Amino acid sequence: DEVHMLTKEAFNALLKTLEEPPAHVKFMFATTEPEKVLPTILSRCQRFDLRRIPIKLIVNHLREIAGKENVTIDEPALHAIARGADGGMRDAESALDQLISFCGNAIVEPDVLSMFGLTSQSQLLSLAEGLLKGDVPLVLGELNELARHGKDLGKFLGDLLQHLRNLLVFQISKGDTRLLEVSEAEAATLAMQAALVSTEGLTRVMETLTQTESNLRDAASKKIFIEISLIKAMEARNAVSLDAVLKRLNELRGDAGSTSPSAPSAPVRAPVTATPAPRPAPVAASVPAPVAAVPSYAPTRQDAGGTAAAGGVDLAALWPNLIDAIGRASPFARSYFIEAHPVSFMKNVFTIGFDPEFADHIGMVDNSKNHSLIATKLAELGIHGAQVKIVKAERPQDFGLAAPAAPEPLAAPVPAAPVPSFAAAPPPSKPAAPAPAPKPVQLDHAEFKNDPLIKKALEIFKGTIVDVRG
């Protein structure tokens, strides 16, 4: 027995005898670790891999023995003995022999449960049903009863896992009981419980309880440890994996973008009265109709004394006004775009760049919702039909956020000019001081929570918004 424990030297001493055995001798080597036996020994032996005996065969064999011994034993008791024997016929026969000695010629299930410290099948199935339904009082009550009657909680946990394994196989095989060692009553219970939980949820429950079984030996109180584990398992039924959450958020981001309002065809304009400004008057321009007070950055031709950047748009002057407009609509989006900078406006494509340091922001803002938002705000600033592109690009060293430009004063209309145009003011005699950065938008919690992505995230994670100050 346990022949793998022989040393190499002992095996070598035995080898000659194995090669030329006496006619009247048969060697039988038993081991649970055949890989440790020397190949020279294995090559001279016939190998038989033994396995556990199925419960059904043990029950049939015990029923036959009981009949020959004139012993009455019910079916639940036979199945309990087979479960307690754990696939060993010798252990099952020994248990039956002891039960006959203690109980006489009539044996019932409680007698077997008392001997092995097992949980009754009805209790086990009831607790499993409560576990799958999330009925915490029922589960903890059943566990307390088992502990109060001195049941082996470690064995109970193993039996529960075996039942859940049968349930998982039943679900995956679509009710094929040929892969299971269960009675007809158990098969009916499996069919009923299979509808209580999804395969993914059942797998998470089993993972939780399997981890508990491996750590049970080190627990100071097995009862408390199993109670906590059962509660965790019930919570794990409806848990969602991180991959599923991220996938759902991406879907929501796309949905939010597709349902966002389309950009208006023209900016909102309010009529104003043109009055001279207390500074050098610009070149006169014709205004046949009322114009907006909002500064317009639409591409125009270059007039004398003026410059246009990136396809006719002054990006340095446009950017701070765009950020303010975005912040009024979505403080959440502004918190990301404040780290960005304009790259170019070419062929009606407005390119926004994030410095490599903030490249991780791109995945959060590069979606149809924000593209539509930026296009809308660009239209309000006079740039219509622009497409938006977000890329990783280094911020220019000399790039700074300019203050929003004030609307140019208007001169009296000149009938001959059909199109409005504006000329730049003369350059100052000395370098102008750097324009201050735009004032940060004050975070409005109510408006922030109304952002579609934020609302969905709060709903999924059941979260709340709080201030975290450095």
Side-chain angles (χ1 to χ4, degrees):
D1 195 11
E2 298 298 339
V3 70
H4 66 271
M5 298 179 67
L6 289 178
T7 64
K8 181 180 179 181
E9 291 75 17
F11 270 129
N12 287 333
L14 183 61
L15 187 58
K16 184 64 176 175
T17 307
L18 290 179
E19 290 175 339
E20 300 177 7
H24 62 282
V25 174
K26 292 287 188 287
F27 287 100
M28 297 189 68
F29 299 144
T31 179
T32 55
E33 301 179 53
E35 67 279 359
K36 291 185 178 181
V37 179
L38 294 182
T40 52
I41 301 296
L42 289 176
S43 65
R44 288 162 173 79
C45 297
Q46 290 182 348
R47 175 167 172 165
F48 299 94
D49 290 318
L50 304 182
R51 63 183 186 277
R52 299 183 187 280
I53 300 174
I55 290 179
K56 184 177 181 180
L57 293 182
I58 294 178
V59 169
N60 291 338
H61 185 62
L62 295 181
R63 187 186 296 112
E64 181 182 353
I65 293 175
K68 292 180 178 179
E69 296 290 335
N70 296 320
V71 173
T72 303
I73 181 170
D74 59 13
E75 283 295 312
L78 289 173
H79 279 274
I81 295 174
R83 281 196 296 132
D86 196 21
M89 186 66 77
R90 181 183 60 183
D91 293 341
E93 291 177 346
S94 298
L96 179 60
D97 188 38
Q98 294 179 49
L99 286 166
I100 293 173
S101 299
F102 291 139
C103 305
N105 293 333
I107 302 173
V108 292
E109 185 186 28
D111 299 327
V112 183
L113 300 179
S114 177
M115 171 178 287
F116 284 109
L118 295 176
T119 307
S120 71
Q121 194 70 7
S122 59
Q123 277 184 299
L124 183 66
L125 298 178
S126 173
L127 192 146
E129 182 177 345
L131 178 66
L132 299 177
K133 289 181 176 179
D135 190 341
V136 177
L138 172 64
V139 170
L140 296 185
E142 291 283 5
L143 181 64
N144 186 64
E145 280 294 306
L146 296 177
R148 191 166 64 87
H149 288 89
K151 301 299 182 182
D152 185 344
L153 296 184
K155 184 65 177 173
F156 150 73
L157 188 58
D159 290 342
L160 179 60
L161 275 169
Q162 180 62 35
H163 172 70
L164 295 177
R165 175 262 174 194
N166 290 342
L167 183 58
L168 181 64
V169 173
F170 186 87
Q171 283 186 332
I172 294 174
S173 65
K174 295 179 171 52
D176 187 357
T177 57
R178 292 177 298 176
L179 301 175
L180 306 173
E181 296 180 32
V182 295
S183 63
E184 291 184 5
E186 287 179 274
T189 301
L190 291 176
M192 183 271 294
Q193 293 184 357
L196 300 178
V197 64
S198 66
T199 301
E200 294 79 8
L202 182 57
T203 302
R204 288 191 292 270
V205 170
M206 293 184 66
E207 286 175 350
T208 303
L209 296 181
T210 301
Q211 185 67 30
T212 302
E213 187 181 39
S214 64
N215 296 330
L216 189 61
R217 181 181 300 176
D218 301 326
S221 171
K222 291 185 178 180
K223 179 174 180 290
I224 295 176
F225 190 53
I226 294 178
E227 284 176 336
I228 295 173
S229 300
L230 289 173
I231 293 174
K232 286 183 178 179
M234 284 184 275
E235 293 175 348
R237 291 175 309 124
N238 301 319
V240 181
S241 68
L242 184 57
D243 288 341
V245 172
L246 292 176
K247 180 180 178 182
R248 181 57 179 154
L249 283 177
N250 286 330
E251 292 174 355
L252 292 173
R253 181 178 296 144
D255 292 343
S258 63
T259 58
S260 61
S262 58
S265 58
V268 179
R269 296 183 177 273
V272 298
T273 304
T275 56
R279 62 184 178 90
V283 177
S286 170
V287 185
V291 298
V294 178
S296 175
Y297 299 92
T300 61
R301 71 179 188 275
Q302 291 188 359
D303 296 317
T307 58
V313 177
D314 188 348
L315 298 180
L318 167 66
W319 185 248
N321 290 280
L322 179 60
I323 290 296
D324 277 348
I326 292 173
R328 287 191 294 272
S330 173
F332 177 73
R334 181 189 183 279
S335 66
Y336 286 97
F337 282 112
I338 196 66
E339 306 292 352
H341 59 276
V343 176
S344 65
F345 184 83
M346 302 294 294
K347 297 181 179 179
N348 215 34
V349 176
F350 185 58
T351 303
I352 299 173
F354 279 90
D355 196 77
E357 179 183 357
F358 302 105
D360 57 333
H361 290 1
I362 296 177
M364 299 296 296
V365 299
D366 192 8
N367 54 63
S368 57
K369 176 180 180 293
N370 286 329
H371 287 196
S372 177
L373 172 63
I374 296 172
T376 300
K377 298 307 173 185
L378 286 173
E380 292 176 3
L381 294 172
I383 302 175
H384 302 284
Q387 297 181 0
V388 179
K389 182 178 180 181
I390 301 176
V391 300
K392 180 170 70 173
E394 291 190 2
R395 180 189 294 265
Q397 294 294 330
D398 58 347
F399 178 78
L401 293 179
E408 294 288 348
L410 307 176
V414 179
V419 180
S421 64
F422 301 88
S429 57
K430 59 180 180 178
K439 184 178 180 181
V441 176
Q442 187 69 28
L443 177 62
D444 185 340
H445 277 258
E447 184 178 1
F448 184 77
K449 291 176 66 174
N450 287 333
D451 186 282
L453 284 181
I454 297 299
K455 291 173 68 176
K456 286 296 183 181
L458 292 175
E459 178 183 336
I460 291 174
F461 292 106
K462 296 181 174 60
T464 57
I465 297 177
V466 298
D467 278 331
V468 180
R469 305 288 182 180

